[in-house]
Amino acid sequence: MQNFVEPVQPALTTPQHSPEAGTPFVLFQSDVTRRDDTVHSLLRRLGVQDSAAAAFLRQDAHARQLLQGQSRKLVSAETDDQRQLVRLTARWLPDERAEHYNRLVVEKHPALGWHSYTEEAPLTRSTRLSSGTIRHSLFAATDAARLPDEIAAQLADLFGSQIDFRRDLQPGDRFSVVYETLEADGEVLQFGRLLAAEFINQGQVHQKLWFEEPGQKGAYYGADGQSNRSAFLASPLEFSRMSSGYGMRFHPISGRLKAHLGVDYAAPTGTPVRSVAEGTVAFAGWKNGYGNVIEVEHTERKSTVYAHLSRIDVRSGQRVGQSDRIGLVGSTGASTGPHLHFEYKIAGQHQDPLNIARDGGGQSMTVAARQEFEQVAQAMRRQLDIAATVVQASAD
């Protein structure tokens, strides 16, 4: 191989492009709003030191939306070399089903001073691919693959009725996913739905694809077109680890060997607790060692119990849907620390909650929708193949 070297004369910086000539020097920084944010704390994280801008944000009706309502609004700030605010932009979704996003703009006009406005703009939907290999646990693998927590939780829910992620996983098991992002001005506001997923567990391939049959509610289907929508979710928490299983154990308070008629999930106080299936709240209140507890009755004489809650968000007699938030994790009653105690019963008899997701059936799609499903499925399988190949190549 032969190298060629050619001298290059560097371009001289002209006065009109130099900082001395007055060209503005602008810094960009982004962050998200937090539940306990103040104007001061947000601007500090954004690198802004501007008392006039801070005063405007506190007083202006449009600007006050920045810290009102939901947290985790995406905020971008432009500052000059004196850390004075030039422009601030915030973006957020008005609700989970929105097809547009809200944009707040605060900027300094040379003649008019500070002003603000809000507007709506259409969301951009795009897809991303990812894959990972199990070394120790599912959630360690999704973290290593930089998979968003929202998508990892959907992945666990999707295959929870077929794979016991606490007992069935083996090193070398693999997953590939195609998922949706909701973007505003080129930045991700929210991660959407898991569109397709493949999980290879102990050599067995499990594959699910999202499909919306015209006139029907969307669902996940296997390659055979059979819906595997489970009547019960695998877990009442989106993202947690089981800290105590079902069966005999030494009670953490009494120290005696005693039957543990549920499972415990370690989680911080305030973690949302969801109903694992549709049903009616049979009890919501305080009950001895259970502390704050909720019992939900489902079909076929099945019921679930959620105990030691820090807060109850439902009332007796209320109807709840699958995945609806019903309370928050806590440590009330006979509890040694924050966790959720979860029970599953059939006709009043306790069952192992780890088998709950297997108690659900599916439904077949209509013949008329089969051709459209095959086209969607073929496209998604190609993307799953790409996801596995690209990530594996980069890992090697």
Side-chain angles (χ1 to χ4, degrees), residues 354-368:
L354 296 183
N355 295 326
I356 192 171
R358 305 180 194 275
D359 290 349
Q363 60 185 33
S364 298
M365 69 179 63
T366 62
V367 175

Side-chain angles (χ1 to χ4, degrees), residues 194-308:
L194 186 60
L195 300 175
E198 180 179 87
F199 208 109
I200 303 176
N201 171 233
Q202 300 184 34
Q204 184 174 0
V205 179
H206 305 272
Q207 196 174 81
K208 297 292 179 61
L209 312 166
W210 175 261
F211 177 69
E212 294 187 43
E213 185 176 346
Q216 301 292 326
K217 188 176 181 179
Y220 288 100
Y221 292 83
D224 58 359
Q226 179 73 22
S227 168
N228 287 353
R229 177 186 288 159
S230 177
F232 291 88
L233 298 174
S235 168
L237 301 182
E238 280 194 352
F239 226 66
S240 185
R241 62 180 178 86
M242 187 183 69
S243 55
S244 183
Y246 181 83
M248 299 300 293
R249 67 164 185 175
F250 284 99
H251 195 276
I253 296 179
S254 68
R256 297 178 180 177
L257 187 64
K258 185 179 179 181
H260 189 225
L261 301 178
V263 294
D264 293 343
Y265 293 94
T269 296
T271 301
V273 176
R274 57 188 181 172
S275 175
V276 296
E278 296 180 354
T280 302
V281 178
F283 180 85
W286 185 274
K287 185 180 288 186
N288 302 324
Y290 282 92
N292 287 324
V293 62
I294 298 170
E295 182 166 4
V296 180
E297 292 182 346
H298 312 286
T299 58
E300 300 177 337
R301 304 180 68 188
K302 297 173 181 178
S303 62
T304 50
V305 176
Y306 313 77
H308 305 309

Side-chain angles (χ1 to χ4, degrees), residues 4-327:
F4 294 91
V5 179
E6 182 177 353
V8 177
Q9 181 67 31
L12 296 176
T13 302
T14 57
Q16 60 266 31
H17 291 95
S18 66
E20 292 78 9
T23 302
F25 182 71
V26 180
L27 295 173
F28 297 83
Q29 192 159 330
S30 297
D31 207 323
V32 294
T33 60
R34 302 173 184 173
R35 185 177 302 176
D36 58 350
D37 255 336
T38 64
V39 169
H40 175 73
S41 63
L42 178 60
L43 292 183
R44 184 177 57 198
R45 291 201 309 278
L46 292 170
V48 179
Q49 291 184 355
D50 190 330
S51 59
F56 181 82
L57 292 174
R58 292 189 188 98
Q59 298 170 6
D60 182 71
H62 286 145
R64 282 202 298 268
Q65 296 181 59
L66 185 63
L67 299 180
Q68 292 175 345
Q70 61 180 277
S71 56
R72 298 197 63 77
K73 295 182 176 76
L74 181 62
V75 186
S76 301
E78 303 174 28
T79 59
D80 61 21
D81 53 357
Q82 300 299 313
R83 303 179 73 176
Q84 299 287 293
L85 185 65
V86 175
R87 180 184 175 97
L88 182 143
T89 307
R91 306 171 184 87
W92 69 92
L93 295 176
D95 59 68
E96 293 182 356
R97 295 193 176 101
E99 291 298 323
H100 66 273
Y101 66 93
N102 293 334
R103 183 195 289 126
L104 163 69
V105 179
V106 177
E107 56 189 358
K108 191 172 185 179
H109 192 276
L112 303 177
W114 288 105
H115 72 286
S116 68
Y117 60 91
T118 57
E119 58 188 358
E120 292 184 352
L123 280 168
T124 300
R125 295 179 180 269
S126 62
T127 56
R128 293 190 178 186
L129 313 179
S130 183
S131 69
T133 301
I134 305 298
R135 304 299 180 196
H136 304 288
S137 70
L138 172 62
F139 297 142
T142 57
D143 283 346
R146 298 182 180 179
L147 198 65
D149 285 356
E150 300 94 319
I151 303 302
Q154 292 182 51
L155 179 67
D157 282 344
L158 187 58
F159 293 108
S161 62
Q162 298 170 290
I163 304 170
D164 186 332
F165 289 112
R166 297 171 182 83
R167 295 183 288 201
D168 294 345
L169 288 186
Q170 292 186 353
D173 288 351
R174 304 190 306 279
F175 62 85
S176 301
V177 295
V178 179
Y179 61 95
E180 184 181 48
T181 63
L182 307 180
E183 300 176 2
D185 299 332
E187 297 189 71
V188 175
L189 274 186
Q190 184 174 302
F191 296 100
R193 179 178 285 116
L194 186 60
L195 300 175
E198 180 179 87
F199 208 109
I200 303 176
N201 171 233
Q202 300 184 34
Q204 184 174 0
V205 179
H206 305 272
Q207 196 174 81
K208 297 292 179 61
L209 312 166
W210 175 261
F211 177 69
E212 294 187 43
E213 185 176 346
Q216 301 292 326
K217 188 176 181 179
Y220 288 100
Y221 292 83
D224 58 359
Q226 179 73 22
S227 168
N228 287 353
R229 177 186 288 159
S230 177
F232 291 88
L233 298 174
S235 168
L237 301 182
E238 280 194 352
F239 226 66
S240 185
R241 62 180 178 86
M242 187 183 69
S243 55
S244 183
Y246 181 83
M248 299 300 293
R249 67 164 185 175
F250 284 99
H251 195 276
I253 296 179
S254 68
R256 297 178 180 177
L257 187 64
K258 185 179 179 181
H260 189 225
L261 301 178
V263 294
D264 293 343
Y265 293 94
T269 296
T271 301
V273 176
R274 57 188 181 172
S275 175
V276 296
E278 296 180 354
T280 302
V281 178
F283 180 85
W286 185 274
K287 185 180 288 186
N288 302 324
Y290 282 92
N292 287 324
V293 62
I294 298 170
E295 182 166 4
V296 180
E297 292 182 346
H298 312 286
T299 58
E300 300 177 337
R301 304 180 68 188
K302 297 173 181 178
S303 62
T304 50
V305 176
Y306 313 77
H308 305 309
L309 303 171
S310 63
R311 193 175 82 187
I312 294 174
D313 292 329
V314 292
R315 63 185 184 279
S316 295
Q318 180 178 337
R319 288 287 299 174
V320 294
Q322 189 179 66
S323 295
D324 283 356
R325 194 180 86 172
I326 57 176

